[in-house]
Amino acid sequence: MTQTASTFQTLILEPHPGVLVIRLNRLAALNALNDRLMDELQVALDQAEADPEVRAIVLAGSDKAFAAGADIKEMADKTAAQAMAENFITRNWERAADCRKPLVAAVAGYALGGGCELAMMCDIVIAADNARFGQPEITIGVIPGAGGSQRLTRSVGKAKAMDMVLTGRTIDAVEAERCGLVSRVVPLASLMDEALAVADKLATLPPLALMAAKALVQAAFETPLAQGIKQERQAFHAMFALEDQKEGMAAFLEKRKPAFKGR
Ligand code: CAA
C-alpha cells in the first residue's frame, strides 16, 4: 500500500524539519485502534523509516485520548478462527516496536489496553498530566493482546503489573512516572512542545548510533547480562567505523557543534 499524507483516513501526518508527527485521528471513538488505523500506522512508519529526512518520530493522539484500546466494536463478534486466520494483532501491531528510528509517544488522556501497549512500544513516553494508563481488558472478558502482560511487567515490575492486569485499575500520570512506565510528566498545554523538543534533539544526534543504542536497550529486556554486554561492546567497537564518530569527537575537541550525517 503506497499512500500519501492526504490519503490517510485515521492518521494526520505533520512533517517538521527532521521530525514526523503522526497523530492518531479517530476522535469520535477515542482513537480506538481498528484494523484500518493499524494498517495506516504500519504504512506511515514504513515511509518514515525509509525517508532519510525523518530522524525521529512523535506518535500522538488527542488531548482526550492517546488511544482507548483496540476497537471493541470491530472485535466483539470475532471468532477464534478469524483471529487466528487473519493473524490478529501480530499482522501489523508490532510495527511500532520494530521501528528502528527513535519513537517518542506524546500521551494525553486515555492510554488503555492497546493504547497503553502502543505507548509501551515507543522509546520515550512523554505523558501529559491528564494521562491515564491501564490494561482494562479483563473487564471486557479478555486479556491484554498486544504485549501488555509482558512489556508492562518488564517496565513496572510484578506488583504493579498484577494490580493493573488482573483488576483493570488505571493509573494517573504521576503514578505511571513513579513506577517507570513513562519518561516524564508535563502539563497538558505543553505536551506537544515538550515531545517535539525531545524529537528535535534526537534529530540532531547521529542516526546510526541512535539506532544501535535503541536496539541495545530493547535487547536488554531479552538478553542475559553477559550476552547483552558483549553485544554492546561489539556495537561500540563498530561505531569507530562511522564518520559520525570522527565528526562527534572532532567537534568536541574543536569546541564546535557536530554535524552528523548518518554515515
Ligand atoms: N473501542 C471502540 N470504541 C471505543 C473504545 C474502544 N476501545 N473506547 C471508546 N470507544 C467509543 C465509545 O464506544 C463511544 O462511542 P459512541 O459515542 O459511538 O458510543 C466513544 O468512543 C466515546 O466513549 P465513551 O462514551 O465510553 O467515553 P467516556 O469518556 O464515557 O469513557 C473510556 C472513556 C473510559 C475510555 C471508555 O470509553 C472505555 O472504557 N473504553 C474502553 C477501554 C477498553 O476497555 N480498552 C481495551 C480494549 S481491548 C484491547 O485493547 C485489547 C488489546 O490488548 C489489543
Side-chain angles (χ1 to χ4, degrees):
M1 183 163 35
T2 307
Q3 285 188 270
T4 59
S6 58
T7 64
F8 287 110
Q9 287 179 11
T10 62
L11 304 177
I12 297 172
L13 303 194
E14 299 167 10
H16 296 252
V19 174
L20 178 69
V21 176
I22 302 176
R23 222 178 243 289
L24 310 183
N25 186 39
R26 294 189 72 219
L27 303 185
L30 300 182
N31 289 331
L33 304 165
N34 64 1
D35 271 350
R36 170 139 204 143
L37 187 150
M38 296 314 291
D39 280 342
E40 290 190 354
L41 184 58
Q42 185 177 29
V43 172
L45 289 171
D46 283 348
Q47 292 176 353
E49 203 162 276
D51 182 350
E53 298 298 315
V54 177
R55 308 263 290 254
I57 300 157
V58 176
L59 190 58
S62 71
D63 282 359
K64 186 161 183 210
F66 177 71
D71 191 311
I72 300 168
K73 283 176 197 155
E74 212 174 63
M75 281 186 300
D77 294 328
K78 204 182 279 295
T79 64
Q82 284 168 332
M84 289 167 75
E86 70 196 32
N87 206 12
F88 183 42
I89 305 285
T90 314
R91 185 175 69 79
N92 51 11
W93 280 60
E94 293 288 328
R95 181 63 187 86
D98 294 338
C99 183
R100 297 171 72 212
K101 293 184 177 177
L103 207 43
V104 178
V107 178
Y110 297 111
L112 303 180
C116 185
E117 291 166 318
L118 185 59
M120 288 191 289
M121 290 181 203
C122 297
D123 305 312
I124 299 177
V125 181
I126 313 288
D129 48 16
N130 76 336
R132 287 206 76 86
F133 297 84
Q135 299 289 158
E137 289 90 343
I138 201 80
T139 66
I140 56 166
V142 288
I143 61 172
S149 63
Q150 303 303 300
R151 290 198 178 94
L152 187 69
T153 308
R154 283 165 169 75
S155 288
V156 306
K158 176 186 166 187
K160 284 277 185 213
M162 285 293 193
D163 185 6
M164 293 171 69
V165 172
L166 296 191
T167 72
R169 182 172 80 85
T170 63
I171 61 174
D172 65 17
V174 171
E175 186 172 357
E177 186 183 28
R178 199 168 59 227
C179 65
L181 183 54
V182 308
S183 316
R184 312 180 194 174
V185 181
V186 302
L188 173 60
S190 57
L191 175 65
M192 287 315 292
D193 287 345
E194 298 272 357
L196 269 169
V198 174
D200 286 344
K201 170 74 181 171
L202 292 167
T204 68
L205 295 170
L208 298 178
L210 280 175
M211 275 181 195
K214 168 173 174 160
L216 284 160
V217 175
Q218 284 178 328
F221 289 103
E222 339 216 355
T223 317
L225 181 63
Q227 192 184 328
I229 298 281
K230 198 181 272 183
Q231 278 178 17
E232 182 199 76
R233 202 61 42 78
Q234 285 166 348
F236 178 69
H237 291 167
M239 291 292 117
F240 290 86
L242 299 178
E243 285 179 31
D244 282 346
Q245 174 268 329
K246 299 287 175 282
E247 167 63 10
M249 294 192 182
F252 175 81
L253 295 173
E254 292 160 17
K255 302 191 188 301
R256 61 172 173 83
K257 277 200 167 148
F260 294 118
K261 297 201 176 73
R263 293 201 292 257

